[in-house]
Amino acid sequence: MSKNSKINMEKLVNHCKNMGIIFPGSEIYGGLANSWDYGPIGCELKLNVKNAWWKKFVWESENSQGIDSAILMNPKVWEASGHLASFTDPLMDCKECKTRHRADKLIEEFTKNQVNADKMSNKEMETFILTNNIPCPKCGKCNFTPIRQFNLMFETNRGVTKESANTIYLRPETAQGEFVNFINVQRSLRLKVPFGIGQIGKAFRNEITPGNFTFRTIEFEQMEHQWFCKKGTDEKYYDFYKQYSMEFLTSLGLPKEKLRFKDHDKLAHYAKNACDVQYEFMMGWDEINGIHNRTDFDLSRHQQFSGKNLEYLDQVTGEKYIPYIIEASYGLDRIILALLDNAFEIEILEDGSEREVLHFKPSIAPIKVAVLPLIKKLHGDVAKKIYNELKSKFRAIYDDTGSIGKRYRREDAIGTPFCITIDDETINQNTVTIRDRDSMKQEKVKVDDIFNYLNNKFQG
Ligand code: ATP
């Protein structure tokens, strides 16, 4: 058996569509740029990653709690956070073909990431593009308008009239919901600093750069954890959450050698320290997670703009202060893309045939076990009974259509780690055959031992 090296993004996109993992958004209407829908298999995968994150960051992270705040917030939140004034991308229009591009991305793609445009001013980016004759990716000409800053927030209107007083925004990050609830969470649960707040939810950004599949989309899910701590302890916790992030990502099955830290060259005005965790995608290294020391900027600004006191009172020392925040921010869709990128293989088997397989770690695999009667007429009833017993314990499916070989292949292609085959021996000797996705080896297991057998594999 050997690996096929011909895997590329197009193959992965097609595979995801054919296997019910991810579909192009609004496809029957010609799609909507940078939007994707998760199918039956993809949404199970997402759920498993969300559950693993929640467990790690809310249940297991010391003194942490979860919330679920509203997507639509009082517009003053975005004034205080700085998003209204400065959550912008540097955009240029191609005067020839009228397409719009991000200046920083044009430079980074042209130089294959050898030049970091993050550090450049708009004037420097314009000059760099002109002197290097960087072409428009669509028409190949180098004839752009000057850079304009374009706000990434989606606007909508509350109420019936479209007056600017009614303008509200779809949140571009989930973090602000955690900041504005700092006092509510602290007081209602009588928490002592340091403590954490985590949440998972949708965020929206008016991204115009074409994404690499789900890497950059206009609607995506974030999993964000904010750690509220006292100034002076912040750098210790910043280092802690860097390591904790790495632990989390490798626990999902992403290999350590395909992950790395990348310090930010240009810090945001509020940040004392910031880095990304990058994954080596098939299109190159890029960010899947950011860790930021946000200082006391967020709570100070919300205190200033809301007029509400957001200081924490230390009951023991009597000291009052605004806590510092260490943020660990994850893009769920980018993690899913990294998991698919890492797991997808087209193997050439000894007989020359191809096997498409997703080698997910069993604990995050969308479907844990498939129950397959060898011959429906003879083994279907027993198989259904076994499936009915398993389905409340693991995400299981029952499939009796097509040859057993084709059914195995279908399960391999969606990453199901175990297939249970029901045959005459099940009826006569009360045993089943359990096939392992990766080795394709089969083992005989007693019907009464199936649960323990699988449970051990998932714990491992
Ligand atoms: P980028 O530089 O790639 O635009 P960012 O630095 O703006 O990302 P953050 O604001 O730090 O990203 O958001 C935290 C996480 O949210 C990112 O690490 C990423 O995983 C995810 N994310 C951000 N923007 C998008 C998007 N448009 N589509 C999918 N995921 C995103």
Side-chain angles (χ1 to χ4, degrees):
M1 179 171 76
S2 64
K3 278 190 194 181
N4 186 322
S5 59
K6 281 186 289 178
I7 287 177
N8 56 31
M9 196 53 92
E10 197 187 334
K11 279 223 159 75
L12 181 61
V13 173
N14 286 336
H15 184 82
C16 286
K17 183 179 165 192
N18 295 337
M19 292 298 132
I21 302 171
I22 300 174
F23 306 125
S26 323
E27 193 184 14
I28 60 166
Y29 288 101
L32 176 69
N34 296 348
S35 80
W36 299 90
D37 294 338
Y38 287 80
I41 305 301
C43 74
E44 295 284 348
L45 179 61
K46 254 185 151 184
L47 205 57
N48 293 339
V49 174
K50 284 198 254 190
N51 286 339
W53 186 89
W54 195 260
K55 188 161 175 277
K56 181 94 179 154
F57 282 85
V58 177
W59 293 5
E60 291 173 10
S61 173
E62 199 192 325
N63 211 14
S64 283
Q65 307 293 331
I67 62 164
D68 183 10
S69 68
I71 288 174
L72 300 171
M73 302 179 81
N74 187 311
K76 276 202 169 157
V77 168
W78 308 113
E79 248 179 81
S81 67
H83 281 83
L84 270 177
S86 58
F87 191 55
T88 54
D89 272 346
L91 298 191
M92 314 174 94
D93 290 333
C94 171
K95 289 192 200 159
E96 305 287 335
C97 69
K98 315 287 177 224
T99 52
R100 189 163 279 180
H101 306 275
R102 256 176 78 172
D104 53 337
K105 295 291 163 204
L106 280 179
I107 294 173
E108 283 166 8
E109 270 152 35
F110 181 75
T111 62
K112 303 209 163 25
N113 286 320
Q114 293 309 302
V115 172
N116 184 353
D118 258 8
K119 282 179 169 170
M120 295 179 168
S121 67
N122 284 357
K123 206 76 235 140
E124 284 167 336
M125 284 196 276
E126 282 173 7
T127 312
F128 190 93
I129 288 168
L130 204 62
T131 49
N132 288 281
N133 208 19
I134 296 182
C136 163
K138 182 85 190 292
C139 71
K141 308 257 171 55
C142 176
N143 185 11
F144 296 102
T145 60
I147 291 174
R148 278 169 307 135
Q149 290 301 136
F150 175 82
N151 198 298
L152 288 169
M153 282 203 293
F154 278 107
E155 283 182 20
T156 186
N157 291 282
R158 194 203 158 106
V160 285
T161 54
K162 279 198 174 178
E163 289 160 21
S164 63
N166 294 333
T167 302
I168 54 174
Y169 303 89
L170 300 188
R171 67 180 176 198
E173 61 177 29
T174 60
Q176 299 301 327
E178 295 167 320
F179 303 150
V180 301
N181 280 297
F182 161 71
I183 282 291
N184 280 338
V185 175
Q186 189 268 321
R187 292 202 180 137
S188 57
L189 276 82
R190 291 176 295 153
L191 299 176
K192 291 193 175 66
V193 168
F195 70 88
I197 303 180
Q199 85 163 321
I200 299 176
K202 290 264 182 172
F204 305 82
R205 295 184 188 179
N206 202 350
E207 303 270 9
I208 60 108
T209 344
N212 264 309
F213 197 12
T214 56
F215 183 82
R216 189 176 297 288
T217 51
I218 50 178
E219 174 182 341
F220 54 98
E221 248 175 310
Q222 288 188 318
M223 308 185 291
E224 297 200 289
H225 181 264
Q226 314 295 336
W227 181 250
F228 300 88
C229 61
K230 191 171 179 186
K231 181 179 176 180
T233 61
D234 51 312
E235 282 301 283
K236 173 180 85 179
Y237 289 122
Y238 174 74
D239 290 340
F240 173 84
Y241 275 104
K242 273 177 76 171
Q243 294 315 320
Y244 204 68
S245 288
M246 209 44 113
E247 251 176 58
F248 169 65
L249 293 168
T250 50
S251 76
L252 299 176
L254 293 176
K256 224 178 161 99
E257 60 279 10
K258 283 185 160 183
L259 294 166
R260 69 179 185 195
F261 292 114
K262 173 86 175 41
D263 287 329
H264 285 198
D265 291 314
K266 196 165 82 180
L267 288 176
H269 53 285
Y270 53 78
K272 182 169 161 191
N273 225 333
C275 74
D276 297 335
V277 177
Q278 295 186 328
Y279 170 79
E280 191 179 16
F281 289 96
M282 52 181 98
M283 69 271 185
W285 289 94
D286 221 324
E287 169 182 349
I288 53 175
N289 153 229
I291 302 133
H292 313 119
N293 180 344
R294 303 182 63 107
T295 68
D296 58 0
F297 173 83
D298 305 285
L299 292 182
S300 303
R301 292 277 289 190
H302 285 306
Q303 174 164 280
Q304 182 194 338
F305 279 72
S306 68
K308 298 282 182 313
N309 184 1
L310 299 184
E311 284 173 318
Y312 169 73
L313 168 65
D314 187 323
Q315 300 281 358
V316 179
T317 63
E319 198 184 346
K320 279 186 179 172
Y321 60 90
I322 299 271
Y324 268 40
I325 294 175
I326 307 301
E327 171 181 76
S329 172
Y330 298 81
L332 175 59
D333 308 77
R334 287 192 190 174
I335 293 178
I336 298 293
L337 184 58
L339 290 168
L340 287 165
D341 174 304
N342 183 55
F344 188 41
E345 255 188 50
I346 302 175
E347 293 172 353
I348 309 292
L349 303 179
E350 268 144 25
D351 64 1
S353 64
E354 284 189 349
R355 177 171 92 118
E356 292 187 337
V357 55
L358 286 168
H359 294 285
F360 293 128
K361 190 174 167 179
S363 58
I364 63 134
I367 307 294
K368 300 285 186 264
V369 58
V371 182
L372 316 172
L374 188 62
I375 301 166
K376 182 183 171 188
K377 250 198 321 206
L378 302 179
H379 314 118
D381 289 348
V382 183
K384 277 255 170 75
K385 197 164 162 262
I386 292 176
Y387 162 72
N388 283 334
E389 274 167 26
L390 285 177
K391 71 180 185 191
S392 62
K393 302 177 180 83
F394 307 105
R395 181 69 178 108
I397 53 169
Y398 170 88
D399 183 10
D400 59 19
T401 318
S403 74
I404 194 74
K406 286 217 173 98
R407 282 181 272 162
Y408 285 153
R409 287 287 180 277
R410 184 170 160 78
E411 295 309 321
D412 292 340
I414 58 171
T416 307
F418 302 105
C419 288
I420 302 183
T421 313
I422 315 301
D423 55 18
D424 285 348
E425 288 189 19
T426 316
I427 292 161
N428 300 328
Q429 291 165 25
N430 219 22
T431 59
V432 294
T433 313
I434 303 191
R435 173 186 179 271
D436 179 278
R437 174 198 64 205
D438 296 339
S439 66
M440 293 188 275
K441 294 225 167 76
Q442 310 204 354
E443 252 186 274
K444 287 243 174 293
V445 175
K446 284 216 147 40
V447 170
D448 290 345
D449 295 340
I450 296 175
F451 173 75
N452 283 341
Y453 177 94
L454 293 176
N455 211 26
N456 284 340
K457 296 278 184 190
F458 295 124
Q459 300 303 327

